[in-house]
Amino acid sequence: MSFCAEKLEPNGWPEICVVLNTALAETAVATMMAQNFHWNVTGMNFVSLHQQFQEVYEDHFVGQDDLAERIKALDGHVDGNLARVLERSSIAEPQEKSMPMDMIAALLDAEETLAATLKSSGALAAEHGDTLTEDLCIARGDTHEKFAWMLRAHLR
Protein backbone atom coordinates (compact mmCIF):
# COMPACT_ATOMS: atom_id res chain seq x y z
CA MET A 1 0.00 0.00 0.00
CA SER A 2 1.27 3.47 -0.86
CA PHE A 3 1.87 5.61 2.22
CA CYS A 4 2.06 8.75 0.10
CA ALA A 5 -1.03 8.00 -1.98
CA GLU A 6 -3.66 10.73 -1.99
CA LYS A 7 -6.25 8.42 -0.41
CA LEU A 8 -4.15 8.25 2.77
CA GLU A 9 -3.85 12.01 3.17
CA PRO A 10 -5.68 11.99 6.54
CA ASN A 11 -2.83 9.84 7.88
CA GLY A 12 -0.27 12.50 7.04
CA TRP A 13 2.01 10.47 4.77
CA PRO A 14 1.74 12.79 1.74
CA GLU A 15 2.46 15.76 4.00
CA ILE A 16 5.54 13.98 5.34
CA CYS A 17 6.78 13.38 1.79
CA VAL A 18 6.32 17.10 1.03
CA VAL A 19 8.43 18.19 4.01
CA LEU A 20 11.06 15.55 3.23
CA ASN A 21 11.28 16.87 -0.33
CA THR A 22 11.80 20.35 1.13
CA ALA A 23 14.59 19.04 3.38
CA LEU A 24 16.07 17.26 0.37
CA ALA A 25 15.95 20.44 -1.73
CA GLU A 26 17.63 22.48 0.99
CA THR A 27 20.26 19.79 1.47
CA ALA A 28 20.97 19.78 -2.28
CA VAL A 29 21.42 23.57 -2.35
CA ALA A 30 23.65 23.48 0.74
CA THR A 31 25.68 20.64 -0.81
CA MET A 32 26.40 22.66 -3.93
CA MET A 33 27.11 25.77 -1.85
CA ALA A 34 29.71 23.90 0.21
CA GLN A 35 31.27 22.38 -2.89
CA ASN A 36 31.42 25.78 -4.61
CA PHE A 37 33.09 27.26 -1.53
CA HIS A 38 35.49 24.29 -1.39
CA TRP A 39 36.53 25.04 -4.98
CA ASN A 40 36.87 28.80 -4.50
CA VAL A 41 38.10 29.49 -0.97
CA THR A 42 41.41 31.36 -0.70
CA GLY A 43 43.38 33.12 2.01
CA MET A 44 45.17 32.36 5.24
CA ASN A 45 42.65 29.73 6.34
CA PHE A 46 42.56 28.02 2.96
CA VAL A 47 43.56 24.53 4.10
CA SER A 48 41.21 24.30 7.08
CA LEU A 49 38.24 25.82 5.21
CA HIS A 50 38.91 23.78 2.07
CA GLN A 51 38.81 20.62 4.20
CA GLN A 52 35.80 21.74 6.24
CA PHE A 53 33.74 22.61 3.16
CA GLN A 54 34.62 19.20 1.69
CA GLU A 55 33.48 17.45 4.87
CA VAL A 56 30.17 19.32 4.64
CA TYR A 57 29.42 18.54 1.00
CA GLU A 58 30.45 14.89 1.34
CA ASP A 59 28.15 14.47 4.34
CA HIS A 60 25.31 16.29 2.61
CA PHE A 61 25.58 14.14 -0.50
CA VAL A 62 24.94 11.08 1.67
CA GLY A 63 22.18 12.97 3.50
CA GLN A 64 20.43 13.70 0.21
CA ASP A 65 20.36 10.00 -0.58
CA ASP A 66 19.05 9.12 2.89
CA LEU A 67 16.20 11.62 2.56
CA ALA A 68 15.36 10.49 -0.97
CA GLU A 69 15.34 6.84 0.07
CA ARG A 70 12.98 7.62 2.96
CA ILE A 71 10.60 9.38 0.56
CA LYS A 72 10.68 6.30 -1.68
CA ALA A 73 10.15 4.01 1.34
CA LEU A 74 6.94 5.99 1.94
CA ASP A 75 6.13 5.40 -1.74
CA GLY A 76 6.45 9.10 -2.50
CA HIS A 77 7.97 10.86 -5.48
CA VAL A 78 11.44 12.37 -5.09
CA ASP A 79 11.52 15.72 -6.87
CA GLY A 80 15.03 16.01 -8.30
CA ASN A 81 14.19 18.69 -10.86
CA LEU A 82 16.85 21.36 -10.30
CA ALA A 83 14.58 24.32 -11.03
CA ARG A 84 12.00 23.05 -8.53
CA VAL A 85 14.73 22.23 -6.00
CA LEU A 86 15.79 25.89 -6.07
CA GLU A 87 12.16 27.05 -5.84
CA ARG A 88 11.42 24.72 -2.92
CA SER A 89 14.55 25.59 -0.93
CA SER A 90 14.58 28.50 1.48
CA ILE A 91 18.37 28.43 1.22
CA ALA A 92 19.54 30.83 -1.46
CA GLU A 93 22.63 30.34 -3.53
CA PRO A 94 25.23 33.09 -3.24
CA GLN A 95 25.09 35.12 -6.43
CA GLU A 96 28.51 36.69 -6.25
CA LYS A 97 32.08 35.68 -5.60
CA SER A 98 32.39 35.40 -1.83
CA MET A 99 35.20 36.12 0.59
CA PRO A 100 35.99 33.36 3.12
CA MET A 101 34.09 34.98 6.02
CA ASP A 102 31.05 35.47 3.76
CA MET A 103 31.28 31.82 2.73
CA ILE A 104 31.30 30.75 6.37
CA ALA A 105 28.35 33.02 7.22
CA ALA A 106 26.31 31.80 4.23
CA LEU A 107 26.97 28.13 4.97
CA LEU A 108 26.24 28.71 8.67
CA ASP A 109 22.86 30.17 7.73
CA ALA A 110 22.22 27.17 5.47
CA GLU A 111 23.08 24.70 8.25
CA GLU A 112 20.82 26.48 10.73
CA THR A 113 18.00 26.51 8.18
CA LEU A 114 18.45 22.80 7.51
CA ALA A 115 18.45 21.97 11.23
CA ALA A 116 15.18 23.92 11.67
CA THR A 117 13.57 22.29 8.63
CA LEU A 118 14.48 18.84 9.87
CA LYS A 119 13.28 19.62 13.38
CA SER A 120 9.84 20.61 12.08
CA SER A 121 9.80 17.65 9.67
CA GLY A 122 10.60 15.28 12.52
CA ALA A 123 7.85 16.80 14.65
CA LEU A 124 5.35 16.27 11.83
CA ALA A 125 6.48 12.66 11.44
CA ALA A 126 6.09 12.14 15.20
CA GLU A 127 2.54 13.55 15.07
CA HIS A 128 1.70 10.83 12.57
CA GLY A 129 3.53 8.01 14.35
CA ASP A 130 6.26 7.74 11.72
CA THR A 131 9.15 7.06 14.08
CA LEU A 132 11.53 6.04 11.28
CA THR A 133 11.21 9.40 9.55
CA GLU A 134 11.37 11.16 12.91
CA ASP A 135 14.62 9.31 13.70
CA LEU A 136 16.13 10.25 10.32
CA CYS A 137 15.18 13.90 10.84
CA ILE A 138 16.68 13.93 14.34
CA ALA A 139 19.94 12.39 13.13
CA ARG A 140 20.26 14.72 10.12
CA GLY A 141 19.26 17.74 12.22
CA ASP A 142 21.94 16.90 14.78
CA THR A 143 24.53 16.73 11.98
CA HIS A 144 23.52 20.15 10.66
CA GLU A 145 23.59 21.67 14.14
CA LYS A 146 27.13 20.33 14.59
CA PHE A 147 28.24 21.84 11.28
CA ALA A 148 26.61 25.14 12.32
CA TRP A 149 28.49 25.12 15.61
CA MET A 150 31.80 24.48 13.83
CA LEU A 151 31.18 27.26 11.32
CA ARG A 152 30.01 29.66 14.03
CA ALA A 153 33.33 29.13 15.83
CA HIS A 154 35.13 30.71 12.85
CA LEU A 155 33.09 33.90 13.23
CA ARG A 156 33.84 34.49 16.91
Side-chain angles (χ1 to χ4, degrees):
M1 176 179 279
S2 168
F3 288 118
C4 288
E6 289 301 317
K7 64 185 175 191
L8 293 180
E9 189 167 329
N11 293 331
W13 300 114
E15 190 178 357
I16 292 169
C17 291
V18 168
V19 297
L20 288 177
N21 264 301
T22 298
L24 175 59
E26 290 179 349
T27 304
V29 173
T31 302
M32 194 65 231
M33 180 188 299
Q35 193 163 31
N36 180 30
F37 292 164
H38 168 80
W39 291 331
N40 288 297
V41 70
T42 59
M44 292 295 294
N45 294 320
F46 167 78
V47 172
S48 65
L49 289 174
H50 185 75
Q51 290 171 344
Q52 188 170 17
F53 294 150
Q54 181 174 352
E55 181 181 350
V56 170
Y57 77 72
E58 287 177 348
D59 167 82
H60 289 19
F61 186 78
V62 172
Q64 288 178 70
D65 200 49
D66 291 343
L67 290 164
E69 288 178 355
R70 185 64 193 148
I71 294 166
K72 295 309 295 178
L74 295 173
D75 203 27
H77 174 74
V78 177
D79 190 354
N81 177 280
L82 291 178
R84 285 192 302 271
V85 163
L86 289 171
E87 287 173 9
R88 186 183 295 260
S89 175
S90 60
I91 297 171
E93 292 183 296
Q95 297 301 313
E96 311 241 341
K97 182 178 174 183
S98 301
M99 299 302 294
M101 295 306 274
D102 297 326
M103 292 175 178
I104 294 166
L107 195 54
L108 169 59
D109 185 58
E111 295 302 316
E112 290 173 337
T113 298
L114 271 163
T117 296
L118 287 158
K119 182 177 182 178
S120 64
S121 299
L124 178 67
E127 287 175 26
H128 295 286
D130 182 358
T131 56
L132 297 176
T133 298
E134 180 186 18
D135 185 57
L136 172 63
C137 291
I138 290 168
R140 290 300 314 153
D142 183 57
T143 297
H144 294 293
E145 282 187 351
K146 183 177 179 183
F147 282 130
W149 157 62
M150 295 168 115
L151 292 161
R152 196 176 302 108
H154 284 283
L155 299 176
R156 292 195 172 148

